[in-house]
Amino acid sequence: MSTTEDHTSGELREGYAEVGDQRLHYMEAGEGPLVVLLHGFPEFWYGWRLQIQPLAAAGFHVVAPDMRGYNLSSKPDGAHPEVVDRLAILNAAHPRKLSQGLHHPGQLRKSWYFFFFDLPELPEAVVHADHWRFFRHFLRDANPPYTPEETEHYIEAWSQPGAATAMIDYYRRSVRTPPKKAEAALRPIKAPTLVIWGQEDRYLGQELAEPDRDDVPNLDRVERLPGASHWVHHDQAERVNQLLIDFFTPALPAKG
């Protein structure tokens, strides 16, 4: 692991974690219990720019990696869920809930791009066209809108060699995995879990917000934020930051 600044600094620091012969790019800040912020499609670490420093100021060591294949990262080995003490999910459905949702026409219409991305070669050609218009389309619901400068940061990340294909391959893998095999791989999430859900999500129906208790037996709650889009951490950053800080605070060392 390497960083460009001393770990005692409260400022944002850039680094790379070496995982075998792979490299995982990340940004980090702060000291204390580790909080890892994992982005979704079509983001990269920058999607958490409004959360990193507030969480660091609250006493956490915050690490926001580029997921494997995204931006500056290559393809590291998988994560280990047994080392997660507390889990917060933002507008992402449990795999079982999503699979169930895809049996209904409403969610199927929202998730059309899953199946478009499964096509060979064509998606790559489409997403590169017109200055990444296809990927920019996914960010359009943000409220307030992403500024031109913020959008250019995303375009720079999408433009990294091989990044577009790697991002699309997540969907190819999910669509091509037989449902029975995917379901057999599911294990209960034992960590206390908070779900934060923007109610105006264009891509995931509200019924997908709450996972089954058998899958997440220690679900703390589902916090629904009216007026927030799929990009809830951008739309209502202060509220999301406070929810995360309050939820993760039990992990902080007790003050003497």
Side-chain angles (χ1 to χ4, degrees):
M1 182 180 295
S2 62
T3 57
T4 57
E5 299 180 26
D6 190 276
H7 275 268
T8 60
S9 168
E11 298 300 315
L12 198 63
R13 306 183 298 268
E14 181 179 27
Y16 287 86
E18 304 293 337
V19 185
D21 60 353
Q22 308 296 323
R23 302 186 84 204
L24 184 65
H25 173 260
Y26 63 88
M27 301 298 287
E28 65 172 347
E31 294 292 334
L34 178 64
V35 172
V36 180
L37 302 175
L38 302 179
H39 66 80
F41 170 88
E43 298 193 289
F44 63 116
W45 76 263
Y46 184 73
W48 296 110
R49 65 197 176 284
L50 302 178
Q51 281 71 50
I52 296 173
Q53 289 177 319
L55 284 167
F60 297 98
H61 176 201
V62 185
V63 177
D66 291 329
M67 295 290 283
R68 56 186 180 182
Y70 281 74
N71 194 28
L72 302 179
S73 286
S74 51
K75 300 182 181 297
D77 294 337
H80 293 271
E82 69 274 9
V83 304
V84 176
D85 294 320
R86 299 179 77 80
L87 175 67
I89 301 292
L90 279 67
N91 280 76
H94 186 278
R96 192 187 310 278
K97 275 286 187 179
L98 181 59
S99 178
Q100 293 169 352
L102 290 175
H103 288 85
H104 297 278
Q107 184 56 51
L108 201 57
R109 285 194 298 270
K110 294 175 185 288
S111 301
W112 63 270
Y113 57 94
F114 280 39
F115 306 98
F116 171 66
F117 284 156
D118 187 38
L119 298 173
E121 299 182 2
L122 178 62
E124 281 87 341
V126 170
V127 302
H128 281 87
D130 194 17
H131 201 49
W132 299 92
R133 182 183 180 189
F134 191 94
F135 279 175
R136 286 190 285 115
H137 170 85
F138 284 96
L139 303 178
R140 74 190 190 283
D141 298 324
N143 182 25
Y146 285 99
T147 66
E149 182 181 5
E150 289 170 335
T151 301
E152 284 302 319
H153 282 291
Y154 281 98
I155 291 172
E156 181 180 3
W158 301 333
S159 301
Q160 296 299 319
T165 294
M167 293 164 66
I168 292 168
D169 279 347
Y170 277 83
Y171 290 90
R172 289 186 172 124
R173 175 65 181 269
S174 67
V175 171
R176 294 174 185 178
T177 301
K180 289 185 177 180
K181 180 179 180 181
E183 185 170 341
L186 296 176
R187 299 290 183 271
I189 297 172
K190 298 180 180 180
T193 300
L194 167 67
V195 176
I196 301 173
W197 197 270
Q199 291 286 76
E200 302 302 317
D201 194 323
R202 180 189 294 264
Y203 307 106
L204 297 172
Q206 295 186 26
E207 68 280 1
L208 303 185
E210 188 154 348
D212 294 338
R213 288 284 175 166
D214 289 344
D215 288 319
V216 189
N218 293 312
L219 179 68
D220 182 86
R221 69 188 190 280
V222 177
E223 187 77 23
R224 298 176 183 269
L225 302 189
S229 73
H230 184 77
W231 317 111
V232 60
H233 55 316
H234 167 87
D235 296 358
Q236 297 190 22
E238 290 186 10
R239 177 65 175 144
V240 168
N241 293 347
Q242 193 59 57
L243 287 168
L244 293 176
I245 290 169
D246 291 345
F247 181 67
F248 291 134
T249 289
L252 292 172
K255 295 182 179 179

